[in-house]
Each structure stands twice: as structure tokens, then as C-alpha cells.
Amino acid sequence: MTKNFDRTSLESLLLKRFFYAPSFGPYGGVAGLYDYGPAGCALQSNILDIWRQHFVMEEDMLELDCTMLTPYDVLKTSGHVDKFADYMVKDTKNGEIFRADHLVKNVLKKRLEDDDLLKSGNAPAQGKGKNKKQPTPLSEETRKEYEDVLEQLDNYDGKGLDGLIQKFNITSPEAGNPVSECALFNLMFETQIGPTGALKGFLRPETAQGQFLNFKRLLEYNTGSMPFASAQIGKSFRNEISPRQGLLRVREFTMAEIEHFVDPQNKNHHRFDEVKDVECVFYPATNQMEGKGTITTTIGNAVESGMVNNQTLGYFIARIYLFLTKIGIKHEKLRFRQHMANEMAHYACDCWDAEILNSYGWIECVGCADRSAFDLTVHQKKTGEKLVVQEALPEPIIRDRWVIEINKPKFGPAFKKNVRFVQAYFDDMLADPTVSYPKTTKDSEKLWNEEKIMEFKKKLEEGNGSCNITCSDGNEYTITSDMVAVNKINEKINVREYIPNVIEPSFGIGRIFYSLIEHSYWVREGDEQRAVLSFPACVAPIKCLLTPISHQDEFVPILKDIATKLRAHKISNRVDDSSNTIGRRYARNDELGIPFGITLDFQTTKDNTVTLRERDSTMQIRDTIDTVVDLVDKLVQGKMEWKDVLANHKAFTSQEA
Amino acid sequence: MTKNFDRTSLESLLLKRFFYAPSFGPYGGVAGLYDYGPAGCALQSNILDIWRQHFVMEEDMLELDCTMLTPYDVLKTSGHVDKFADYMVKDTKNGEIFRADHLVKNVLKKRLEDDDLLKSGNAPAQGKGKNKKQPTPLSEETRKEYEDVLEQLDNYDGKGLDGLIQKFNITSPEAGNPVSECALFNLMFETQIGPTGALKGFLRPETAQGQFLNFKRLLEYNTGSMPFASAQIGKSFRNEISPRQGLLRVREFTMAEIEHFVDPQNKNHHRFDEVKDVECVFYPATNQMEGKGTITTTIGNAVESGMVNNQTLGYFIARIYLFLTKIGIKHEKLRFRQHMANEMAHYACDCWDAEILNSYGWIECVGCADRSAFDLTVHQKKTGEKLVVQEALPEPIIRDRWVIEINKPKFGPAFKKNVRFVQAYFDDMLADPTVSYPKTTKDSEKLWNEEKIMEFKKKLEEGNGSCNITCSDGNEYTITSDMVAVNKINEKINVREYIPNVIEPSFGIGRIFYSLIEHSYWVREGDEQRAVLSFPACVAPIKCLLTPISHQDEFVPILKDIATKLRAHKISNRVDDSSNTIGRRYARNDELGIPFGITLDFQTTKDNTVTLRERDSTMQIRDTIDTVVDLVDKLVQGKMEWKDVLANHKAFTSQEA
């Protein structure tokens, strides 16, 4: 982003060079849906390749490809059916719909800005709409109130937002009409799986659930050893209420998520030492609350001081930092901000976001959350399938435990059709009554609430082996000790069983993609302003431009030959033999961010030499075709830098046309 | 597939080694949805990498990544809302749903098989269900009738299928209940985009539409030059009525599609010569109708003889063949079958399927269709956006053309609120009344039906510049020549404008993936039967196994060192240092299809040498770590074969434990 960054110019470049464009253009597009064109698709695919190398390959993560269609039950259990929602309000006259918190934010921000202009004597001319008024100056008190609300906006629920809308007389911005009360809108896309209409499903809102539900298979694939991580790259969906801000808020997006499964009693990381000296900018929750700034320090210090909770979380923060800067995100526009308690997702117990500064502000691009054992626990409870790690104990534990044991042959006939009410009475004595054990689990294997059991035992003893209980149907039933026994069992425990915790680095690829473009964009000064996208070679959509000095038939076989040679090295290239001047062609391909350019001229046909141009400096050198192809290969692979090329070649200045 | 291929054994291997598994396992799974585990995910991703190299990189195709969410209008226009459907019937008692044609097929096939058994004296024992009867022998006439129906099943519509079900007394197979009449079920998953409920959308049934709708941008990106191809890898969806057959019929699947845009007047391909000698097996429509067999010949002959319509279609058939055999599909289990007229998709005018033989029969895995100008034409008609190529003519064409020109200032006031009926009368004189031109298009730019115009002109002249017309509201209106003029315009045409044709190779990656696994599967004879997946190294999910002869601490740093070296060459590897015997570990990793294995033994700690094992032959050689890593790199890259290794190394026989 240059000093005089102009987003409109950048956006028109991105459209013109087809990095991305609104989907279904001929049909007028759909808000929040974008297609990636050849340049954008290659850039995204290079980012993902490096991601895979950096995370999956480097750490032997277990990559998955799970379905996006997800049945209702799974997302009900995970909490998304109930909690993955935003508040919306409706313009009561024209029906336009707004996300409630965004409406409040935009209106109050606008009022503060208008007030600034008014007080500086630059108030805008009278508005156009009949409902627009010339702004009146705001009192210091009102300003303070607005600023406080904006700071705390995440803390308001539906009723709270209704209150703000009423209190500050917030109307729909364009039309000026009153808006309705807040209603919750679930952000998942719903559909029906199969022809019966009986199986409701959603498009996944995150790739994580598929990874959790495969935990057992993954652990087995990893021959039972912990810790380990799974990973998944794929699309997720979010039915945004009214998407704006280009690629930053879309309805269908690529995510790359890692679920690192770890022993809750040991969150150290065996490779932490390799990253402990990496320096990042941190913005902890306490600093945000106290209005203090950021802290720059090493990961080692951040973990040691307790600011970052544990080594594994710290390790991933460092690895995220290394990944982002490797692909071209600027160090000075990258910080790690800790979530405050009120903004944490329903499943997270701690979370640090990698935020990248772009023209929209500091944008959350990677979340690094400690989801604790939340997901595995709720799925285990719901399905009864054990999602646990079993670890041989160095020494067995021997202990006594009280259990209820129901004698089915006596119990069933005694209560006949009411047996379910009596059974429910005893199920309520389980340590966790919400767990559904598989039918084959014996009573003695279940975990019971010892306090409740002992109470029942006392009652039974007081009645000499018989007592009355009141069940949920309101009736009394008589229980005798031959139906239900309270027994002490002696257990020898050889295995420690635990539900692992999950550390989840979760990457929003589209947001990283867009930020990277902004960070790479600048305008060359000169006779005419020419835009350049200075992508690092490793992510550049196309690595090498091939262009003849002029449009002559004799260059065609040589171009083809060089293209074949580059392809053999898997170097993507683009031939531009259009009739534009060579300068215009360089400019056009600088807009695609192509780092290197090979140019053929008439000298080429005589001695088989070509020039090699570097995008950012526009400097050129000259050498034989084979040497130049070899140089490009080394440059693209990062085995050499441009300055190394210059060390062995003198700069070439004028092309023989 | 070995002689005694056992699908159950293979399936259990695939589950155990987590190639893929039913999604949402703990919730009991959902039919037609599968997750790919680490081994499957890597295999799929290697297939796609090679696909991208072979097609996209090699031919400079323009890759796209379009959204899956697609609004109603797009799929209404493309024909999918009306025609992408299957017939289903319902068990009238238990509600079970069947795809009608599959039900008829399965029941009749079963009856023929039972009859075969009966006649060979091997009739099965009495059935279990109360509705099952001991089969009675079928007459030769009935057998012939069944066989004819099975052969022609694709020709029956809903009424036809109802007729078959009634005639042959077909009931639901398990329960034996009668089934309902056929109903059409659209196979697209439906959802709502945005919060208003006003925008209906679907999950795309193919990746093609996104490519068509970006045609204009793609052509521009390609600096206007033709022909060119776009490509897309991504998920598509099909709400199958009752999915069976594992990965062959699923509800969410990965496709890789190419749309090659070509001048309808010239379907030659500039690289056809490179493939003309490739020999494939063809099964043309005429041979299928006449009950003849397949033809083995070169692509060159196939195109020259007219069996394959044009060079571009032929070029892609050859390229598909080369791709499939490169990844390990067996030549003798691959054929190209031409669609018969009755089975062609609604948009296709010719189609050859690459069919791969696996244990389910000959399965369509790649379609290579000529979609002609169908899609671009219908989208252009619907949206008014020109999806055409403009080509400078060598010499301009000069011609006269008759047009209607409406004089709006007179026309509008004359008919007031009835103007739309009068306007519609003239719109009906357009050359194609279904086209909607943009509002800015002048009448003189539109194409008119000259016959209709001349008729109107005559009428107007006969009435001395005035005539009555009857419009769609049933009323008569008087038109005068100052309102509507019929003019002859003289045009000089410098540009040829055409809608390109599209040749579409479309790959079902899951079907290829599964077929490849079957083709790679065999069982080693020996003391115990051990399964092997003999993937070519280029697609093998993991390239190299690292294993110490025994579980000793001193091997750990050496293993880590070799792993780092392999990683630097981007060679995926898997360490197996579990406590199983070395033989058991080799067997386990043969099941993952790992082509090479490096084994550390006590000799290693003395002289830094290791052994290298080849999966299929189980032969080993011994050399230093660095040499072996280098050998693996060359083997994986295809720069060397195992026999070249043996030429320079003597076989190593016994490990020093």
C-alpha cells in the first residue's frame, strides 16, 4: 500500500487483469460471491501450496477432505444451529435488511465523521434525500457516548441493539425509514439431503467438524500416538446478511484449518525451541481493555511471561507469522490480537487472531483458538462414541467406586409399560445424565454420581430393602433391592483415558489473498503512472513473461522452445507477443505481478542470447537461453536472489530492435 | 484387480488404512457422503496435481475457481432446473424411495440371474421374506423381453417406466410392497441466498456454468485470441435418490472440467499431430446398436474415418487416454464409448465417455462432450450480454438489411397504458423473439425477421401509411408510418461475430480414484496373504517409508535427519517405528501403496548406509544415506526406474538385526 493508496484504482486493475470478479456477471452478480480468474486462481493455489509445504508436509499433519454437506444433528451438537447467527433489522417501509450491529456502527461512525467535518468548517452540502438534514454539532457528552458504544458493540445482544437503535434514533441510512426490532438470523445455508425431505442439512460453516468426527480414525492412522494434527483445505459457507467489503466478507470462501490434538496436561511442543526467537507484535486482551498499545517481543518471552498460555499456542503463532511473511505479508502490518472474553466464539476458551492491516483496517485473517475439549466432548455425549485417547499408565491405579446395577429380568416385568419412567429416575443418577452410553455398556461400566447413589442406598436400607420413589410421571413406584442393587466395585485402572484438547489455527485464505495484494501493490513514478504487484516469486501467479521485441514470425519457434524448457522446470510462463510496444507489454505484465521477463530480440536469432528483466527494478541482464532459464529456475525456487544475478552479469541497457 | 478379486477385502483395507470412510461416522453416516482420510486425500491431490500439469500447464489453459452457490436464473437458463432430474418411485407401505430405472434394472437382472441358477440346478434355498417365492423358470420369450428392456432402459420416460413396473409386476425388493407411480425428482440441492428468502439458489451440478459466464473476461485475458480453454477443479453436487456403489455414486464429488472454446468452422487442433499415433479402444454408437464389438485404432485413423467428429475432440480423447494411463489406469481396462442419441445430456451434440472397467462393470469416468454453442447461446439470449468472438474479416462484407424503427415520442403517447401490447407485437418480428436486447440497443442494431417485416410494410403501404393490427390483448390498434418506419439500411461488416463451440472433457475424480485403486490392488502369495496397492510412484500417497529395524533410541536422530533430507526434495515420507516386526511393518505400508522404503539397521550406525526396498518386488539394495535419498528422488520424479537401480547395485538379502 503506497502513501496515496487508491483502492478504486487497485480494484479496477484486479478486475481488468481478472484476479477476481463478481460471480454470474451477465446475470448482474450476487452479493458476496466472487469467481477467481486465471491470475487469482494461480495466486491462491500458490498460497495454498506453500501452506501445505509449511504446515502439512513440515509437520506430518494428517490431511483430510471432508464433505461440505453436513446433517442437522452434527451442527446442532456443535452449537452452530443455536449460536451461529447474527441480529438483523428490516427497513419497515422498503424491506431492506441490515445486520444490526453493522447498522449501528456505520450510522454512529458517520455522525462522528460529519461532526468532525462540521467543526473543522468543512461540512458537506445539504443532503439529497428528503430525510437528510444538515448535521447539527454533537455535544461532547454525545460524542463520548457514541465512542463508548462503538468500543463495546460486541457486548450488545438483540435487546441491547434494539435499545441503541431507539435511543439514538437510528434509521435506514439511504431511505431514512424506521427499522424493525432485531431478529436472529442463522448464517448457515440450509438444504435437504435425499428425496424424502426427512434429512435436513447445512453447508458447513467451518471445516473443523469433519476433522473432529474423524478423530478416532485419525488417531488409529497415527498408530495411537499423541500429539498430532489434522488439516483440511476447503470451502466453507456463511449466509451473510448483507455482504460488503469485497473479498473480506463473502458467502463462500476457502479456509485452511489445522486441528492440533494435544494432552490437556501437557501443552508443550517438541519443536518450540526452533521458533522461540521469532519476534512478533502482540496485543493482549488486558492492553485492549486498559487502552494500552501493543507489545513487541519474542514468542519465547510471550509464553514464559504467561501472556500466551502455552507452548503449543505459541508455536503456532510463530509458525503463522513465518508463513504470512514468507508469502509477502509485511511484518509491520501484522499483529496478534487476543480475543476479549465477550467476543470469543462459543467453543473457544482462548484465541489469538493474526490481524493484517489493509485499507479496511486491521482485519482478522487467521484465528488461533484453543477450543479445549469442547467439540470432542459434545459429540461423544451426543453419539456415545468414545472420542478419547487411551494411554498406558506407568503404574496401575487401584480404587473403589460405587455403582447402581439394575437387574433387568426383575425390573422390566415389575413396571411394564411404565418402565421408562422408573429407568429415567436411575439414569438421572449418572455422573453426567446427558451422556448417552451405547446399549451394550454395562451399568457397572458407567460413571455414577456417588452422592445421589448413597442417598438412594440409605433410603433402601431404611426401608429394609424396599423404598418408594416418585418418578417424572408423578407416580410413586416401589423399588426392592432384588431389582436394583447398589454395589461397591474395586477397579484396577491400567489406562489413562482423556479427551484431548484442540489448538486450532484457522486461515481465511481470501482475506490473506486480498491483504497480500494490497501489500504488494505500488505505482511506478514516471511519464505515466504504472501499477506493479510486487509478489514474491514463490506466490506470483505466473513466474516468467516471454516476449519478443516485435511481432515477427522468426521468433515463434524460439518462444515455443523456451516455453517448453520452462515447463520442464514446472515454471509457469505467459507469452505476450501482442502488437503493443514492448514498454506497454512490460507494464501490462507488471500488473499481473510476473517477477521475471525473458525478451527476444534480433540478437537472439544470431547468437541465441536473450535478456532477463526483473520486475521491481526493471533492470535487465543478457545471457544465453539455457543460462537464463537456469537463472529463472534458481530465482523462482529461492536458491538465488536478483542481486546474485547482478553480481555475475553487467546490467543490459538498450535492446537492439 | 486380481483373478479372485474380493471387493469386501479391498473395502476393509481402504477403511483400515483410511483412504476414505463414510462421513459423520459417529452419527451413523449419510448415504452418498464420504470423507477422504490422509492416504486418500494425498492420492487425490497427487492425481489432481498431475491433471493440472498434464492439461492446464501443458496447454496454457486458464484456470478458474468459481462459486458453487448458483442462483436459480442461471440454472433455469442452462436447462438444469427443468431437465436435471431422475424418476423415483415410493414403496406405498413403508415409504422407501427408489430411483425408478435402477429398480427396474435390479429386479429384472435378479430374475434373469435366479433363472440362470435355477436352470443350472443351483437354485438358492427358499427366500426369507414372506413375499419371496421360489423362482419359477422363465420362458425364452420372457427372458428375451427382459433383456431387450435392460438394453433400452435409457429410452423410457416416466410413463414408460410405470408401464414396465405394472407389466412385470415389480415391487420393492426387500419388502415386496407395491410401488407408486413415477415422479420426477430434481437432483440439485436447493437453498436460499441471503436473509430475504427472495433469492433461490442451488449447489452447482457441474463446474461448467461458471466457466461459460466468465467467457467474456477469459477471452479478454487471452488478448482476444481463439481457440483457448478454461479449466476448473472443484466440488459439484447431485442429490442422488438412493446412492449406492461407494464412491461411484455420491452426492458431493470432485470434478475437473475443461471448456475448450473453438471456432465452429474450424475444429482442427494445432497439436493434433503430436497425438495422432496414440492407439485407443473405441466403441462407436453404431457398433453398440448393431451389437458389434469395439474397434482398436489410432486417434489419427479415428478422426480421418469420421468415427470421431473432429480433430479437437480426437485430440482430447488422446490426451485423456495419456493422462489416465500415466496415473496407473490399465490400458486393457479403458475404452471410449460414444453416447447414443437417447442418452445424451440435454446440452450435448456428441459425446465420448472414457469408460474404465472395474468390479462394478464399465464405468463412465470422463465425459468428452461437444456442447456446441448451446450454453453460450442460451445465456446470451437470457441476459442480452454478448458472449461472442469478434474476428476482423480479411475483406469487409457490404449488405442491405431491413429493420423496424419505432419512433418512441409518437409511439408511447399514442397507446398510453396499452403500449406494452403494441410493443410486443413488433418484438415478435425480431429474428429471434426470445432474445432480450439491452435497453440501450437501437432498433436498427437488432436483427429482424425479414419476412414478417415485409408483410407489415405491405400492409402499411396498402393503407397509405396507416394500418390496423390485432395485439395479444385481443384489441385492434391503428399504426401510422410516423410511429413505426420500415427502413432498409446499408451495412458494411468488418467483423465476423460468432458464438464459439465448446468441447468439454469432464473428469469425475472420485470414480477415477476408485478405479485406480482397484487396478492397483493385488494380493501377495505366501505364508499369509498380504495386500499391496501398486500405485505408480507419481500418484502414491506417500513416496517413502522410513523404518528402523528395531525400536531403539539411537535410530531417532538418524530417522529425523533422513526425513529432513527427503522433505527438502519435497518427497512425502512416513516413519513407522512401531514395535511390530519389520515384516508386519512392510506389509502395513504396502497396503498404503508406498513404493519405496528406507530401512535403518545396526550397520547404519557404523557406516551410514541404509537399505532401499522396492514395494512390488520386495527387493532391496544397500548404499549410503545420501545416495539412497538421491535415488528415491530420481525414482519418484520418474528420472530413473528400479531396474536402473539394480543395474548399479547388487541385491541385498539379509538385514543385520
Side-chain angles (χ1 to χ4, degrees), chain B residues 26-198:
Chain B
Y27 286 80
V30 174
L33 295 181
Y34 292 90
D35 292 344
Y36 287 64
C41 192
L43 177 59
Q44 175 179 259
S45 142
N46 293 338
I47 292 173
L48 292 174
D49 270 356
I50 294 172
W51 191 89
R52 206 175 249 130
Q53 286 296 329
H54 185 85
F55 291 105
V56 180
M57 288 283 284
E58 184 63 32
E59 318 208 3
D60 295 324
M61 291 177 179
L62 307 183
E63 193 175 344
L64 292 173
D65 183 12
C66 303
T67 62
M68 289 171 258
L69 286 165
T70 308
Y72 176 89
D73 281 354
V74 171
L75 293 161
K76 176 71 183 171
T77 306
S78 69
H80 288 87
V81 168
D82 298 321
K83 294 179 188 159
F84 192 69
D86 282 337
Y87 288 100
M88 61 175 186
V89 294
K90 211 182 219 175
D91 179 315
T92 51
K93 291 193 180 149
N94 68 20
E96 199 181 349
I97 288 176
F98 304 92
R99 192 171 137 178
D101 56 344
H102 286 183
L103 176 69
V104 172
K105 185 167 84 183
N106 294 336
V107 168
L108 297 191
K109 260 191 163 168
K110 179 78 171 40
R111 288 186 191 169
L112 287 169
E113 282 164 18
D114 286 351
D115 190 52
D116 287 339
L117 288 175
L118 191 71
K119 286 175 181 160
S120 68
N122 296 316
Q126 196 106 24
K128 280 175 292 183
K130 58 178 174 177
N131 290 297
K132 277 196 182 169
K133 292 176 197 148
Q134 191 73 334
T136 47
L138 302 176
S139 68
E140 266 319 292
E141 201 183 342
T142 307
R143 284 193 66 95
K144 178 79 178 56
E145 206 177 356
Y146 285 4
E147 278 156 6
D148 285 351
V149 166
L150 288 173
E151 188 71 24
Q152 301 290 325
L153 205 52
D154 286 327
N155 288 334
Y156 289 89
D157 62 2
K159 282 212 178 328
L161 290 167
D162 283 339
L164 292 176
I165 287 169
Q166 211 159 20
K167 180 169 181 192
F168 299 131
N169 190 24
I170 289 172
T171 56
S172 76
E174 289 296 318
N177 299 326
V179 297
S180 69
E181 286 195 347
C182 283
L184 259 186
F185 175 68
N186 192 292
L187 300 176
M188 292 192 294
F189 287 95
E190 192 182 317
T191 191
Q192 298 292 341
I193 303 174
T196 64

Side-chain angles (χ1 to χ4, degrees), chain A residues 21 24 27 35-36 38 44 63 65-69 77 190-192 194 214 221 235 239 252 379 574, chain B residues 24 27 35-36 38 44 63 65-69 77 189-192 194 214 221 235 239 252 379 574:
Chain A
F24 318 110
Y27 286 80
D35 291 344
Y36 287 65
Q44 175 179 258
E63 193 174 343
D65 183 12
C66 304
T67 62
M68 290 171 259
L69 286 166
T77 306
E190 191 181 315
T191 193
Q192 298 291 342
N214 281 301
Y221 185 89
K235 296 277 161 86
N239 200 0
E252 179 175 333
H379 287 304
R574 175 181 164 94
Chain B
F24 318 110
Y27 286 80
D35 292 344
Y36 287 64
Q44 175 179 259
E63 193 175 344
D65 183 12
C66 303
T67 62
M68 289 171 258
L69 286 165
T77 306
F189 287 95
E190 192 182 317
T191 191
Q192 298 292 341
N214 281 301
Y221 185 90
K235 296 277 161 87
N239 200 1
E252 179 175 333
H379 288 303
R574 174 181 165 95

